[in-house]
């Protein structure tokens, strides 16, 4: 069994992502997991892009982070758990409570863009 120290802490990562998005006025967080078919190696890559659609602050789109899906596995698991809680409660938005955020509570929407396909590709958005 290997111990991979590159895996991220999901709560801290989500808190930093939400805090940065809110402070910089981004209102869409796009998360995509895609298979990288490089002939030298095959692995899944997780990209997180921030998108702002705003008349006041202007439109912008930028890559926040890129990592292997294995490194972001716990983060994806946390988002999946929050999404399942939202659907179980028939709620429109996810409400996440944590002491890691300045405001201790964040509400955001979930929008599935692409379901998992034969290569296990996945894409969804968190709407702030």
């Amino acid at each position: 069994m290997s111990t991979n120290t590159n895996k991220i802490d999901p709560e801290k990562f989500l808190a930093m992502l939400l805090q940065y998005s809110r402070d910089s006025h981004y209102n869409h967080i796009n998360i995509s997991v895609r298979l990288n078919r490089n002939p030298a190696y095959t692995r899944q890559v997780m990209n997180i892009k921030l998108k702002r659609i705003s008349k006041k602050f202007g439109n912008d789109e930028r890559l926040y982070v890129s990592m292997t899906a294995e490194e972001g596995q716990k983060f994806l698991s946390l988002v999946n758990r929050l999404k399942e809680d939202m659907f179980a409660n028939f709620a429109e938005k996810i409400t996440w409570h944590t002491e890691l955020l300045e405001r201790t509570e964040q509400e955001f929407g979930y929008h599935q863009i692409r379901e998992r396909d034969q290569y296990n590709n996945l894409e969804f958005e968190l709407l702030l």
Side-chain angles (χ1 to χ4, degrees), residues 36-103:
N36 182 3
R37 295 189 196 156
N38 185 329
Y41 57 89
T42 302
R43 65 182 178 139
Q44 283 188 304
V45 177
M46 182 173 83
N47 293 321
I48 298 179
K49 292 182 184 175
L50 302 177
K51 187 167 35 169
R52 176 175 54 225
I53 303 172
S54 171
K55 289 183 179 178
K56 183 177 181 181
F57 300 105
N59 298 342
D60 188 22
E61 185 173 339
R62 66 182 57 196
L63 181 67
Y64 181 74
V65 70
S66 181
M67 65 181 79
T68 65
E70 183 179 293
E71 293 170 349
Q73 178 179 352
K74 290 183 180 180
F75 170 73
L76 292 171
S77 178
L78 172 64
V79 172
N80 194 39
R81 195 167 59 245
L82 293 171
K83 175 190 76 164
E84 288 174 357
D85 289 344
M86 178 190 77
F87 288 137
N89 295 326
F90 299 106
E92 295 288 321
K93 293 191 171 197
I94 296 170
T95 304
W96 187 50
H97 303 277
T98 181
E99 296 297 320
L100 298 170
L101 289 170
E102 289 179 10
R103 58 201 166 280

